[in-house]
Amino acid sequence: MRHLPTVEQPSESVLVGCLLAASGGLQDAYTYNVRDQVFANAQTGNMLLVGQNLALGYWGPALEHLVPVLAFTAGIFAAEQIRNRFHGRGGAFHWRQAVVLLETVILALVAFIPGSLNILANLLVSFVCAMQVEAFRKIEGNAYATTMCIGNLRSGSECLYYWYKTRERSYLHKAYLYFLIILFFVLGASLGGVMCRAWGLYTILICCPLLLLAAALMAIIRRRRT
């Protein structure tokens, strides 16, 4: 029987990563399709549009794309504050679960923010995205991201190359993990794109069961290990 990788932390579970990636993809599709075509997660795209709009003298659109960038920074601070608050306490509850639960509450509130306040909705989604990307950095010990694809694509392609060069199955397994996360991100974005046509602003609520399931799964894994 092939030896399966040991998951050092419940947060490094493949299933947890897939759930978070699907939620991340849906968040991006949501803010782009129903919240003024702003990328909640892809801050590189937002910064590009800030620069472009400033150069053209479009101050309003520049501000719309700057707000998520600032909210992302604030989300990093918030995630670290939660980690400092809960880390090292032991027990069944982990600080990453606190992050996921806070994400769920915020995204549920976003669904009820009217379209006239899209700038506030995008701020909150970017804030949530930053907390998630800061809290969940590894899958089976390998660095990855659940709210963007470029790093995963680079790492997955690199692992494929090293597998081709060495034929070591560990590289192939790592490539599989990265491309699996990308697949779930795309699936989440696809679901978001389709559901935005039917549910509009309420589409973001789909993220809530995904995040709650991820939090429950981490609790189950943690309990089994104690």
Side-chain angles (χ1 to χ4, degrees):
M1 181 181 296
R2 185 172 67 87
H3 177 69
L4 295 176
T6 300
V7 178
E8 296 297 331
Q9 294 286 346
S11 60
E12 296 184 21
S13 160
V14 175
L15 184 52
V16 169
C18 289
L19 290 169
L20 294 175
S23 177
L26 195 148
Q27 291 167 37
D28 245 354
Y30 174 78
T31 56
Y32 186 83
N33 283 288
V34 300
R35 297 291 189 180
D36 292 337
Q37 296 186 325
V38 171
F39 295 108
N41 300 347
Q43 300 308 323
T44 300
N46 284 327
M47 287 187 279
L48 182 151
L49 292 171
V50 168
Q52 176 177 289
N53 284 304
L54 286 177
L56 296 173
Y58 301 149
W59 309 109
L63 178 61
E64 287 180 0
H65 290 281
L66 178 61
V67 165
V69 176
L70 298 177
F72 189 93
T73 302
I76 299 296
F77 275 75
E80 285 301 312
Q81 185 63 30
I82 293 172
R83 183 178 71 84
N84 292 333
R85 178 74 171 79
F86 289 98
H87 188 63
R89 287 195 167 193
F93 192 75
H94 192 270
W95 71 272
R96 290 186 177 89
Q97 290 170 272
V99 167
V100 172
L101 293 176
L102 181 57
E103 283 187 67
T104 304
V105 172
I106 292 174
L107 292 179
L109 292 174
V110 166
F112 300 96
I113 295 176
S116 59
L117 295 175
N118 279 344
I119 193 168
L120 174 60
N122 290 329
L123 181 155
L124 292 174
V125 176
S126 292
F127 180 83
V128 161
C129 161
M131 288 197 301
Q132 181 171 308
V133 82
E134 180 71 4
F136 297 89
R137 301 186 188 184
K138 291 185 178 181
I139 183 169
E140 292 189 357
N142 303 291
Y144 84 127
T146 59
T147 60
M148 58 198 74
C149 290
I150 187 168
N152 296 334
L153 181 59
R154 186 207 64 79
S155 297
S157 301
E158 180 184 67
C159 289
L160 274 182
Y161 168 77
Y162 282 115
W163 170 76
Y164 170 78
K165 184 177 180 180
T166 66
R167 288 298 191 263
E168 289 187 21
R169 292 182 62 83
S170 61
Y171 288 119
L172 188 60
H173 178 72
K174 290 179 182 180
Y176 158 77
L177 293 177
Y178 286 118
F179 287 111
L180 182 66
I181 294 299
I182 291 172
L183 173 62
F184 271 84
F185 183 93
V186 172
L187 290 174
S190 300
L191 177 61
V194 171
M195 293 307 297
C196 279
R197 297 183 178 183
W199 290 7
L201 300 181
Y202 300 112
T203 303
I204 197 67
L205 291 173
I206 299 173
C207 290
C208 296
L210 296 176
L211 293 170
L212 289 174
L213 185 55
L217 184 59
M218 283 189 287
I220 292 170
I221 295 172
R222 191 175 180 84
R223 190 174 298 114
R224 286 178 176 177
R225 291 181 56 193
T226 56

